[in-house]
Amino acid sequence: MNALDTTTPIGATLALLPELLLTGWSLVVLLVVAWRHEGERDSRFAGWLSFAGILLSLAAVLGMWHGDWHSEGIAHMVALDSFRYASATLILLLAGASTLLSLRYLGRQRLLAPEYYPLILFATIGMLVMAAATDLILIFLGLEVMSVAVYVLSGFDRYRRSSAEAALKYFLIGAFASSFLLYGIALIWGATGQTNLSLIAAQLAGGAPTMASLGLGLLLIGFGFKVSAVPFHMWAPDVYDGAPTPVTGFMATGVKAAAFVALVRVLDQGFIAQAHQWQPVIGVLAVATILVGNITALAQESLKRMLAYSSVAHAGYLLVAAWPGTAFGSGAVLFYLAAYCVTTLASFGILAAIEHVGSRTVLIDDLEGLFSKRPWGATSLAVCLLSLLGFPGTFGFVGKWYIISSVLREGSWILPVAVAVGSLISIGYYLPVITAMTFKPERTIDAHRQVAFSRAGKAIVAMAVLLILLFGVWPTALLNSAVRSARTLAPQAVVTEVP
Amino acid sequence: MTAPIIGLVWVVVALPLLGAVLNGLIAVLRPQAKSAVSVIGPGVLVGAFIMAAAVVVGLAGLPPDAPQVVRIWPWLVAGRLDVDIAFLVDRLSAVMLLVVTGIGSLIHIFSIGYMRSDEGYARYFAYLNLFVVFMLVLVLGSNMPVVFIGWEGVGLASYLLIGFWFSDEQNAAAGKKAFLVNRIGDFGFLVAMFLVWNHVGALDFSTVLGAPWVPGGALVTAVTLFLFLGCAGKSAQIPLYVWLPDAMAGPTPVSALIHAATMVTAGVYLVARTGLLFAAAPLSSAVVAGIGALTALFAATIGLRQYDIKKVLAYSTVSQLGYMFVGVGAGAYAAGIFHLVTHAFFKALLFLGAGSVIHAMHHAYHATHSHDDAQDMRNMGGLRRYLPVTWVLMWIATLAIAGVPPFSGFFSKDEILGAAFARGAAGQPIYYVFYAMLVVAAFITAYYMARLMAMTFHGASRATAAEREQLHEAPWSMTGPLIVLGIGSAVAGVLNLPTLVGGHAWLEHWLEPVTGIATRLSGFRPVAGNHEAVLVGLAVLVGVAGLIAGFRATTARALVPAREAAPDTGLARLVYHKFYVDELYERFIVRPIVTFSRVFLWRIFDQGVVDGVAVNGSARLFRGIGWLGSRLQSGQVGLYIVVFVVGAIWILRTILG
Amino acid sequence: MAEIELVLRHFLASIGYAHWILHVLLILPLVGAVGLLLSPGSWARWFTLVVAALEFGLALGLWFAFDPTNGGIQFETTIAWIPGWGISYHVGLDGISLFMVLLATGMMPLLVWGSWHSIQNRRRGYYALLLALKAAMVGVFISLDLFLFYCFWELLLIPMYFLIGVWGSANRLYAATKFVIYTFAGSILMLVAIIAMVWLVGRSTGTYSFDYDHLLSNSAALGPAAPWLFTAFALAFAVKVPLFPFHTWLPDAHTEAPTAGSVDLAVILLKMGTYGFLRFAIPFFPAFALSKTVSAIFVTLAVAGIIYAALVSMVQPDLKRLVAYSSVSHLGFVMLGIWGSTVESVQGAIMVMLSHGISTGCLFFLIGMLYDRRHTRQIADFGGLARVAPLMATAFVITAFASIGLPGLNGFVGEFLVLLGSFGRYPLAVTLAATVVIFAAWYLLWAVQRVFFNPMTNPENRTMRDVDLRELAVLFPLVFSMVWMGIYPQPFLRRTEAASRRYVEMVRPYLPPPANAAAAGAAAAVVEARP
Amino acid sequence: MPPAAPIAPLLGPALGLSAVLFTLGVAGVLLRRNAIVLFMCIELMLNAVNLAFIALAQLQGVGGQIMVFFVMTVAAAEAAVGLAIILAIFRHNQSVDLQNVNLLHG
């Protein structure tokens, strides 16, 4: 319908419309906060302003999606397909939700530098680029834009040692991993002369030379880090733990979502012919991630750390979904990402509301009696945890079911069993949280008095919970949309000539 | 070919059931309404007796070989199984019907006086009526499952009545023990049913008995042996007899009705009912007779040294049941049933007489606030002066059980002895041994009965003067039934007067259509007349000798009340303690099972292995691994990098193949 | 009676009962639960009682509307749910599930009555959870779509978890957690198996569907995967049954749960496992499930469980724990009956499920009443109670005897049919299982003796109240049905026969032929006499 | 396939050097404990990649050189942020030794 030629300047601009809008808007916000950066009011203002920008960008994405904008010929640099639109929508929703969840938190924790919101926007831009990129260079650029912003965000509470430490760890290991990714890009380019995924696929259709395989391996290492797959996951718990909670939520969802959609696009669009090479790697990483993430989470006493490990484990499930390399599997990635992100973000949002001012670690035992004091908050958290667990009737269950389906379809037995076993282990740490909240009496008379949801936060959490339940019961529309989006991911027409 | 009255046989069962329900309601709602209970309880029984008599008369008017099956309603209809609640009215069940309702009525009437002062009066009659219901179902059942209802139901009633005074731990335990030991037998009954079902595909008696069983085959032997296990439980035969002496913890009329006259004879009835099977399984029959003979002798021996008057009678019952089993084991089913009937009379009489004695003693002790044991014969003595009616009647029963002509026991016991001997003569010499055992048992029986009489009624009274003043005969409601039973004990022999003395063996002929075929099939041949005379003579001689010996031996010694008596020593002690069989069971069966269950199955296996190692262990294992993994997450960037690089190298190696 | 049935059937047909009843049964408790949460807390009990009574009243129509001659699924409805994925809301009932639904709904008013005073805190939540639990239970038994089934199967854990955890007794945390993890552990692999089945069947037929009928009629396509799939299904169901040695969650859950929780566990939850075997695990994989080895394993475990649990039950110091172990023993009979694979044994198994629900449920009610009064369940704390609480003692003794399997009460019917029906195929196992008549009497009568009989040594028992009218209203229907099912089980057997026959015919080709029984002929004249 | 580049005489050695440099960087990251030094090692790795791009540009055209510019830009941005973070840590710890950076663990 609306075909764009991305090789023309106007085409490229339109193709990048959401990113460009957001970039422009973020600069405006940056400008605004340069003038208004005193106190909570200004911070909130910046927050709402950023939120408006996100909405604007979201409108652009939805418009493009609805208008079925697609590229003429192969997509250069940026994809114009439903997969991009779907993932961009998800990312923007996450960014918006994170923004709103931060409003009250920053005020409470006296993190009143309004640069926070532009940074979120920058990270979001990076994510959008990653989700859109059909070119390795663009993926790298998007990844770096995102990462640099997130490095700063994770250390945003710079007066706290743990936050600074988180930033340092994330930065050092992140940069280290980026160089692997970059080396991979270099080798692939060297082997094929291409950085566009479809063209790479065309080059490698008959088999990959060693250099390309090596490059693929290095790419996987880089992505492995970003999605926090075992054994590249060890930064994740520490960083998630140290970063301010809304940032953690954003990292655990947005960053992971962007990394996964980019990974899936790289694998399915660029290296589908090499599936026999990367499938064993992804498979082993998936099983290891599921097991390590879940088992280590069992030993956690801090809720945040537990959620961090749980998000590592969920990366494992997502890797399982990435394993088949089919439209079905990619659909599962999208769908599970949605399920996981909605749930995880809501969990971190609730956690952010529970956290004390000052000594911030929330132990699982601290939640005792939450239900009797804050029934809705506790119930929401319980629903989230059940969804993470994959309990029927929740979003997470449909997601897991979809993942298992997509893998079983390809004839793998081990991965579905690993997912099942992982879920089983995970009940060992999700359940005690619910137990603590509901079964145990509060420890002190004024326990949970400090729990504070902003109105926006409440709305976000409530919406997330409703989505969890709604898509747990009526997932049809979303399932279909995920599959349809994923279908657009197949390598585009095999082109042998470089245009 | 029906008599309409037979179709109403359900009324016989329904009446006591009505009584049980009404009395039960009274017990719950108005326990003090004793007069109503006194009317309802025995009333329904008398009504049932009249109805039963009418049914039997109706049956007598029919051709002899036409058993009447009265279907009440379909019960277990599933797949090929089609079991109705249905009653079989034939000549065998007719006899039992009369015995149960007849003796039952008398004992119910007796209970009015005996239990009147008890606070659980209504409850008592509810149970007693309930018992009769189940007993009637047992004898009337036209198929094995319906018999089984009665079979277990009487166990239930027995359980409730033995533990009637449940606040005493001993009574409660005795009730439980009775039910449990019975259940061992019921297990046999069940398995027998399964075997039958598997072979025949039906469970009603006419089909089962008419099925083609291979004579002497393993299957029919197994069926009958399992059945006999059931009978041994219900009828207190070795090795399952242990519950019956304990069952004396119940009220004495209960002992008379359930544990002497009716329930315990159910085993004998069942063997007679399934006589065709036993006849086809000579091995099982020999086992039945052998166990019977052994029990007869063994229990009689224990009876020699008991001091509790009811315990003596209990062992006597066990012993007499042994006689009956020898009879049915030998193929003389009619003889077994005959002894069942006469035994019902004289043993009920003995128990009720004992009840009368206990009632008197208890009353005396109660009035004088004494705490002595009202059932210990050592505390009695010389009671004939205070309880003359009871004394006379008890002697009649004693003579009957000792086999002194012309009292009823003489005829029935004699037939069994004759049957055993005849079997021996018919080429199964083992039966000679059984015969000899029975003869010895007969002597012992006479001996301990004489001892009982001597200790209770004769000699000097060992009660205190104050107590003696309170001793008196029971009211008419109690002595009346005693007298009726006394008459029965004396003359019930005419029911089956042997041809030897010019009788017509009426009962045998009456039962002929039911048991005759089985008797013939089992190869039973009565002994010739002249042999019989010798045997009879011997039996009488033994009985009389036992009586005299027992009486003289007892009166020869000076007896002291229980509290002053020295404990027994040596063999007497062993016998007094019933050869320590209960203790052996306790030590080698009960306690090992309990200990094994508690220590091994529960603590070690259930909690230790399954729960501890497998369930909590695996949870702890995962948690432990998690803890280790968590420790690995040391916070050191260096370590993270190392792990990262290791992973990177692995990926590169893998992807390069 | 027959006329009344006929009239009722016509009436029900005229209001389209068969078309809406199952949906209503499913939704009504949920609506009730939501309404409860929205209504004032002081209404909670009455509100729930009304909903429960309404639910049961509606469900009772099933008794009449059900066609006993039809062995197939009745009241069937299919509504597309996730159409592209072959998932639909497909519900229906047959003779196997009919009584489970009736039992679940029939127990509900009693549960409310039974919890009337014993639940004091957070009443609204408690009753809302009870209602939700009920909906999930009904859902499990009427689902004919595996996705739907699995959802209900798992959803049931949540209300139960909270019921145990919030309103349970001292060790409730451990028990609730153990219950959920144990059952979740069992069933998670079933999810994989269900999906795998759908794909395997889909690949060979071209139709990807979670529909029960579709999967059943094409189960041959599973081929070599069948053993694995069966194992996954069997594990889920075996835990729920619970089949020895997967039973250790049960004593804890039973013991710690509040009365209503224990009752629901006993009455319905345990039946889900055996129901699963009857409905899914065996029909899907008959060749493997009924093969010699697998049969041997299951029959051995069933018999081992029967005897083992009885022995362990005997030595329990805690009344609830004792009854909990006795459940394991009873459910072993169901398993034996299922593998007996004759019409008699399968009908017997259903009857055991039903009667175990009633008698064990009643025992739990009684123990709950004891607990309400004395705040202890230790057998040693009681003694001689029959003196102060004769009615309670009577009810307890009757129920105990029903549980022991006294003929004339409900327990016997099922156990007898199971043993009788299985004897031809497993004579040794049945003989061993039959020994439990001894042990069952042993553990229950011993408990009865120590609780209700014996001297009253503990002075605290002296002032114990007997049951009041409300409690009587709970006990009476149960005791009444025990007697009814014991002496006239025909209405129940009649309704389960066709379905059992159908089931047996379905699995018969995979069985070794049973020992043949001689045709039975009636020799005796039959006198019809119906009072 | 693009037309084979005329000659790439230094391709092998340059790629080899790039690999050596990259490995040296990895080794440095593995062995050193000072955050600054670590960061420099990472820069070394990025430059190794740059070298590889340049070397491969002989084969695949000018794209390699363009990419190097991207990489340098990104490296600069990373450096800015990274040094700021290291500074923040230094404020807390008075050292940039990574062995002291283990508040978060477990």
Side-chain angles (χ1 to χ4, degrees), chain A residues 169 234 238 277 295 298 309, chain B residues 623 626 633 635 640 644 655:
Chain A
K169 282 180 176 169
M234 297 192 76
D238 290 3
Q277 282 183 300
I295 293 179
L298 281 177
Y309 279 106
Chain B
R623 215 164 276 280
Q633 190 82 26
Y640 298 180
F644 187 113
I655 209 147

Side-chain angles (χ1 to χ4, degrees), chain B residues 2 6-8 10 28 67-81 83 85 88 119 134 145 148-150 152-153 156 159-160 163 166-170 172-173 175-176 179-180 183-184 186-187 190-191 193-195 197-204 206-207 212 226 589-590 593-598 601-603 605-607 610-611 615-616, chain C residues 174 178 182 244-245 247-248 251-252 308 311-312 314-317 321 325 343-344 347 384 386-387 391 397 401 404-408 412-413 416-417 419-421 423-424 430-431 434-439 441-442 445-446 448-449 452-456 485-490 493 497 501 515-531:
Chain B
T2 58
I6 291 174
L8 291 176
W10 59 269
V28 169
Q68 304 293 313
V69 175
V70 182
R71 297 185 62 204
I72 313 292
W73 66 70
W75 184 37
L76 299 173
V77 183
R80 290 178 300 133
L81 183 66
V83 172
I85 299 279
L88 172 65
E119 55 177 322
F134 283 124
F148 195 64
I149 296 184
E152 292 248 299
L156 165 72
Y159 165 80
L160 293 171
F166 54 78
S167 296
D168 188 337
E169 181 161 358
Q170 251 180 351
K176 186 193 71 190
F179 195 82
L180 273 181
R183 273 251 150 172
I184 299 177
D186 298 347
F187 158 74
L190 273 176
V191 175
M193 275 197 273
F194 302 151
L195 282 167
W197 163 255
N198 206 36
H199 179 63
V200 184
L203 289 170
D204 60 299
S206 53
T207 317
F226 273 115
I589 297 175
V590 177
I593 290 181
V594 173
T595 311
F596 171 77
S597 303
R598 175 173 295 136
L601 290 184
W602 184 34
R603 296 275 183 220
F605 186 76
D606 209 62
Q607 297 200 316
V610 179
D611 226 16
V615 178
N616 294 336
Chain C
Y174 172 74
K178 190 172 176 181
Y182 222 123
F244 170 85
H247 63 279
T248 54
D252 285 309
Y308 170 88
L311 286 175
V312 174
M314 188 163 66
V315 295
Q316 296 305 313
R321 209 167 256 279
Y325 275 106
V343 181
E344 298 87 25
Q347 278 197 273
R387 193 161 281 281
L391 274 178
V397 169
F401 273 101
I404 288 170
L406 189 82
F412 174 74
V413 177
F416 183 72
L417 288 176
L419 293 173
L420 193 76
F423 188 80
V430 167
T431 308
T435 58
V436 90
V437 298
I438 303 161
F439 300 121
W442 192 341
L445 294 190
W446 196 18
V448 166
Q449 185 197 339
F452 288 101
F453 302 157
N454 284 358
M456 190 181 282
M485 286 173 63
I487 60 175
Y488 189 57
Q490 214 39 45
L493 290 172
E497 171 140 20
R501 195 174 292 283
N516 233 356
V526 172
V527 182
E528 289 288 340
R530 289 180 195 281

